[in-house]
């Protein structure tokens, strides 16, 4: 994430994007953002009507950056691509810049911010669904799995991994949670193929 | 959860237990608790040195109630018991009374409260590990699974389910996440047994 920018508008958006992630929306004041962006009050209110409008721009940037990261690299098989996404490094203690918004009372009261968060989750779920459907089509995973449900299970593992990492003050629980899921997928693929062969 | 009690001490603990769950620690003032418990300031400070000491008693009560709920009923097989725990009704929008503590900045600054949260997660993980090990021993799940990792995956599905339910403003994502996991366990058990038979 960029922490500086050329124009004062960019600097404000970048500073707010970082503060939303680190401190949350409720706990961040316009004064905090102006100090972090090194931008004065006149310039702030020239570009934005207030904290809400700046937060919309900053959250939008955080979401774009996250979804860009999720854009797939091509792997040897659909299941390998799915696992590569699952096992991508995730800073457990820092938390998810989107998921943490749902724990912020002021975000829950703000329909525009909340619907951006919901849309971002829908977008990541759609990308999981595509990968799961591809793995089912390639006969790496059994057809009995519901890809919509499983997409939410995978999203939940990541979001819950952040909660556990903060509870333990350690990266380990996040790593364990995603590796536990990857092992389940591997076992499923392996025994699915063995079972398929045995009845073929 | 009880919302009233016989003594003023009990009423304070019950009121704080509910407020911790619904509003969090940072956002709850001694005044809020006294109002909810219908207890005066003199009585509050007779029983507790302040908000921290009351929160320790209240969180301890919340944790005991949660762990009591997790005490197993006997099922037809270890995997059925594991699934029964997974699929127990969980109010997605209300959130987990333990997990939500990790999102509270004032809890993260309080070593005593944080270590209670960590201990509670360890206790629930131990109970998952016992169920997973029993299912592996009963040959319902493959030996290749690491029960410590998988326990964290299961805990993460539940904690992440709460995050998703709040993001969508709906119970559905929590239900999808746990049912997706239950289907994976079923498929794994089924193809594990088919595979086991085919090589026997």
């Amino acid at each position: 994430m960029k922490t500086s920018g050329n124009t004062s508008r960019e600097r404000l958006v970048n500073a707010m994007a970082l503060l939303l992630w680190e401190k949350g929306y409720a706990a961040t004041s316009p004064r905090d953002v102006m100090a972090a962006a090194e931008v004065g009050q006149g310039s702030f209110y020239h570009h934005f009507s207030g904290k809400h409008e700046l937060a919309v721009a900053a959250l939008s940037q955080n979401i774009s950056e996250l979804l860009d990261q999720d854009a797939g690299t091509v792997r040897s098989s659909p299941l390998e691509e799915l696992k590569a996404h699952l096992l991508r490094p995730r800073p457990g203690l820092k938390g998810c810049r989107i998921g943490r918004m749902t724990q912020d009372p002021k975000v829950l009261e703000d329909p525009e911010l909340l619907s951006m968060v919901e849309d971002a989750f829908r977008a990541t779920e759609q990308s999981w669904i595509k990968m799961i459907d591809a793995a089912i089509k390639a006969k790496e995973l059994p057809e009995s799995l519901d890809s919509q449900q499983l997409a939410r299970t995978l999203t939940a593992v990541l979001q819950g991994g952040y909660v556990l990492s903060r509870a333990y003050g350690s990266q380990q629980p996040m790593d364990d949670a995603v590796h536990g899921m990857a092992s389940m997928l591997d076992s499923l693929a392996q025994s699915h193929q063995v079972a398929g062969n045995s009845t073929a």
Side-chain angles (χ1 to χ4, degrees), chain A residues 35-84:
Chain A
E38 296 179 358
V39 162
Q41 194 159 2
S43 180
F44 180 98
Y45 289 102
H46 169 71
H47 291 296
F48 299 101
S49 61
K51 186 170 106 164
H52 164 84
E53 198 177 303
L54 173 57
V56 168
L59 181 57
S60 167
Q61 175 168 308
N62 274 346
I63 290 172
S64 302
E65 285 183 6
L66 195 77
L67 297 181
D68 283 351
Q69 277 182 18
D70 271 328
T73 30
V74 180
R75 302 278 166 174
S76 55
S77 83
L79 188 65
E80 289 306 312
E81 190 187 336
L82 201 158
K83 278 167 50 196

Side-chain angles (χ1 to χ4, degrees), chain A residues 1 17-24 94-97 100-101:
Chain A
M1 176 180 297
L18 204 55
L19 285 164
L20 280 182
W21 193 0
E22 290 178 350
K23 288 185 65 172
K94 196 159 182 197
C96 171
R97 58 191 118 174
R100 78 152 292 164
M101 295 289 113

Side-chain angles (χ1 to χ4, degrees), chain A residues 162-180:
Chain A
Y162 288 117
V163 173
L164 295 185
S165 272
R166 291 183 82 156
Y168 285 100
S170 154
Q171 175 67 26
Q172 194 64 45
M174 167 61 96
D175 292 344
D176 285 344
V178 294
H179 280 99

